[in-house]
Amino acid sequence: MSSNTASLNGFAPAGASLPAGERRKPRRVLPGFGLTMGYTLVYLSLLVLIPLSAVFLKTAGMGWEHFWDVVTAPRVVASYKLSFGASLLAASINAVFGLMLAWSLVRYEFPGKKLVDALIDLPFALPTAVAGIALTALYARNGWLGSLLEPQGIKVAFTPLGILVALTFIGLPFVVRSVQPVLEDLETELEEAAASLGARRWQTFRYVILPTLLPALLTGFALAFARAVGEYGSVIFIAGNLPMVSEITPLMIITKLEQYDYQGATAIASVMLVFSFVLLFIINGLQAWSSRLNGAGRAR
């Protein structure tokens, strides 16, 4: 093969130099940037941008006064507080216990480890309606756990606490699967070095392990929160759906649709979209900040 033919294919024989002004182009498996980006934008537009734009366009047909009356109705505001508050709390719980579970799976060997690892993905595979029915049967007054909790004055099913339990259940895998690969790649030599320098266990975790895990932990938190905000199937059965008490915002949207109030449904959906984007933007900003901070610390 001549050097010209080899250079056209992106290769050059050993010891051969490319002609002056000719740059070696790397071989790419996928098509060029223009074609790949075109397919990406079309795919993204069909699945995400156009549906989201339709929500705002449908809402734009309402007058501002009507829009404000719909989205600030007391019943709707109560559903905002419950949906976003329960989602944030559930994601926070999962951030703590998901980290502990991922740590146990990575750092320890125990009987049934593979079974526990497989069960973590159960909320992914389980239909949400089935999860809701199972949780309701478990925490109802005559359920296995409900019959033990209610005599103690703890009522879970058909209360906001039941919503929190359901959202925690469906969000746990996001945190565990986000943190687990980072823990597997974490070098134990750093912990041993910190221990040899006299650092206590908490100090080692705080200053050596946590900065490395924080970006992945925030990613899992954001994913769990995003899933919880829009969750419907697993919550609808255990919530009780009492107005001003245990009504979530997705239920309010479904109620508007059943009443053929499409503009009202899209108005509430647009508010949820805006709040979700703002919160996710804040979380992603914190993730980027922690990554830069961690990178700067390693550079030192």
Side-chain angles (χ1 to χ4, degrees), residues 27-82:
R27 293 173 60 88
R28 295 182 177 90
V29 177
L30 296 178
F33 175 76
L35 184 60
T36 306
M37 180 56 69
Y39 278 120
T40 301
L41 292 177
V42 170
Y43 186 78
L44 183 65
S45 299
L46 291 176
L47 292 184
V48 179
L49 298 180
I50 293 177
L52 294 184
S53 300
V55 171
F56 290 105
L57 290 175
K58 188 71 175 179
T59 305
M62 308 172 63
W64 171 255
E65 198 171 317
H66 184 205
F67 171 81
W68 187 253
D69 290 339
V70 170
V71 300
T72 60
R75 186 173 172 183
V76 177
V77 172
S79 73
Y80 294 152
K81 294 179 179 178
L82 179 60

Side-chain angles (χ1 to χ4, degrees), residues 201-211:
R201 292 183 179 182
W202 169 248
Q203 291 175 323
T204 302
F205 177 79
R206 169 67 180 82
Y207 295 104
V208 177
I209 300 174
L210 186 59

Side-chain angles (χ1 to χ4, degrees), residues 173-185:
F174 292 97
V175 177
V176 176
R177 295 311 184 203
S178 297
V179 174
Q180 194 171 2
V182 181
L183 273 174
E184 291 173 350
D185 293 337

Side-chain angles (χ1 to χ4, degrees), residues 13-244:
S17 60
L18 293 173
E22 184 177 349
R23 299 171 60 186
R24 181 181 300 171
K25 296 181 180 180
R27 293 173 60 88
R28 295 182 177 90
V29 177
L30 296 178
F33 175 76
L35 184 60
T36 306
M37 180 56 69
Y39 278 120
T40 301
L41 292 177
V42 170
Y43 186 78
L44 183 65
S45 299
L46 291 176
L47 292 184
V48 179
L49 298 180
I50 293 177
L52 294 184
S53 300
V55 171
F56 290 105
L57 290 175
K58 188 71 175 179
T59 305
M62 308 172 63
W64 171 255
E65 198 171 317
H66 184 205
F67 171 81
W68 187 253
D69 290 339
V70 170
V71 300
T72 60
R75 186 173 172 183
V76 177
V77 172
S79 73
Y80 294 152
K81 294 179 179 178
L82 179 60
S83 291
F84 286 101
S87 298
L88 282 172
L89 185 55
S92 301
I93 294 172
N94 282 328
V96 175
F97 291 97
L99 174 59
M100 295 172 61
L101 184 54
W103 183 277
S104 299
L105 290 173
V106 172
R107 293 300 179 91
Y108 301 106
E109 294 292 335
F110 54 89
K113 176 180 176 179
K114 292 184 178 180
L115 178 61
V116 174
D117 193 29
L119 287 176
I120 291 174
D121 294 326
L122 185 62
F124 285 153
L126 196 66
T128 56
V130 175
I133 293 173
L135 290 173
T136 304
L138 191 62
Y139 286 100
R141 179 178 298 177
N142 57 348
W144 290 351
L145 296 179
S147 60
L148 300 176
L149 294 175
E150 289 219 7
Q152 308 299 323
I154 304 173
K155 187 176 180 181
V156 178
F158 315 121
T159 65
L161 182 58
I163 297 175
L164 179 64
V165 170
L167 296 182
T168 304
F169 171 77
I170 57 100
L172 179 64
F174 292 97
V175 177
V176 176
R177 295 311 184 203
S178 297
V179 174
Q180 194 171 2
V182 181
L183 273 174
E184 291 173 350
D185 293 337
L186 190 63
E187 298 178 357
T188 56
E189 288 81 1
L190 297 176
E191 302 171 44
E192 294 172 358
S196 65
L197 292 174
R200 299 178 180 178
R201 292 183 179 182
W202 169 248
Q203 291 175 323
T204 302
F205 177 79
R206 169 67 180 82
Y207 295 104
V208 177
I209 300 174
L210 186 59
T212 304
L213 294 180
L214 192 56
L217 190 61
L218 288 174
T219 299
F221 177 88
L223 292 173
F225 168 75
R227 170 69 188 275
V229 166
E231 182 61 23
Y232 177 78
S234 63
V235 176
I236 197 69
F237 295 100
I238 199 172
N241 309 318
L242 298 176
M244 307 291 293

